[in-house]
């Protein structure tokens, strides 16, 4: 089972931007499992997965399955998919989609943060997340 430990933070749009740096343009669509079932390896138990999405950036496309979270820990599986497969699914079968710019920012504690600035109907929403090794790992928040 894929396990992800991460903490997420809602960032005020009035906060000083300390996360300038490398960025990705991301298009992301949520889909029903039936639409992507042919892309899921049959030797993996995904019964704990409740949310399926496809995501595209300049570099690659992915199918991700996420399960319920307990604290900062949740079930997550991710597989790279072809751009053709992403394009086949994105508009025709998506439940809804989002677009965002993801900044990759290294914090003073050395952790890699992903800071997402949403666009479109979610314009102004900023979420920062950081993946951790353990739930009790200390995180130094930027000022």
């Amino acid at each position: 089972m894929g396990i992800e430990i991460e903490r997420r933070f809602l960032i005020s749009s009035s906060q000083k931007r300390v996360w300038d740096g490398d960025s990705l343009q991301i298009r992301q669509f949520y889909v029903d499992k039936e639409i992507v079932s042919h892309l899921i390896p049959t030797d993996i138990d995904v019964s704990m997965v409740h949310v399926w999405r496809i995501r595209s950036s300049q570099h690659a496309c992915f199918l991700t399955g996420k399960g319920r979270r307990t604290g900062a820990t949740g079930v997550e599986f991710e597989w790279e998919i072809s751009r053709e497969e992403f394009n086949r699914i994105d508009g025709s079968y998506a439940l809804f989609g989002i677009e965002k710019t993801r900044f990759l920012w290294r914090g003073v504690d050395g952790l890699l943060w992903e800071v997402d600035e949403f666009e479109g109907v979610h314009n102004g929403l900023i979420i920062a997340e950081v993946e951790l090794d353990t739930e009790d790992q200390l995180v130094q928040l930027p000022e």
Side-chain angles (χ1 to χ4, degrees), residues 13-81:
S13 58
S14 64
Q15 179 168 336
K16 179 183 170 191
R17 281 182 95 212
V18 296
W19 56 86
D20 283 332
D22 293 337
S23 66
L24 299 168
Q25 294 301 122
I26 294 176
R27 290 176 53 220
Q28 179 172 299
F29 297 93
Y30 292 85
V31 296
D32 283 322
K33 180 182 178 185
E34 292 75 32
I35 301 302
V36 294
S37 60
H38 66 286
L39 300 170
I40 302 167
T42 57
D43 61 335
I44 297 176
D45 178 11
V46 294
S47 61
M48 301 281 293
V49 172
H50 303 287
V51 175
W52 293 94
R53 71 174 184 220
I54 58 171
R55 175 183 287 169
S56 171
S57 73
Q58 298 97 304
H59 304 297
C61 299
F62 294 93
L63 166 64
T64 304
K66 290 190 172 240
R68 292 199 191 336
R69 303 189 75 75
T70 302
T73 303
V75 173
E76 180 179 271
F77 296 98
E78 188 167 77
W79 302 276
E80 189 165 352
I81 62 173

Side-chain angles (χ1 to χ4, degrees), residues 61-121:
C61 299
F62 294 93
L63 166 64
T64 304
K66 290 190 172 240
R68 292 199 191 336
R69 303 189 75 75
T70 302
T73 303
V75 173
E76 180 179 271
F77 296 98
E78 188 167 77
W79 302 276
E80 189 165 352
I81 62 173
S82 70
R83 191 157 304 277
E84 293 77 22
E85 191 67 42
F86 175 88
N87 290 335
R88 183 187 73 78
I89 297 170
D90 76 349
S92 303
Y93 300 102
L95 301 174
F96 67 93
I98 58 174
E99 294 188 22
K100 60 188 176 182
T101 301
R102 171 167 289 169
F103 293 89
L104 304 175
W105 177 73
R106 183 87 42 201
V108 294
D109 53 9
L111 295 175
L112 182 62
W113 289 77
E114 296 176 343
V115 180
D116 292 340
E117 294 184 1
F118 289 78
E119 300 163 11
V121 297

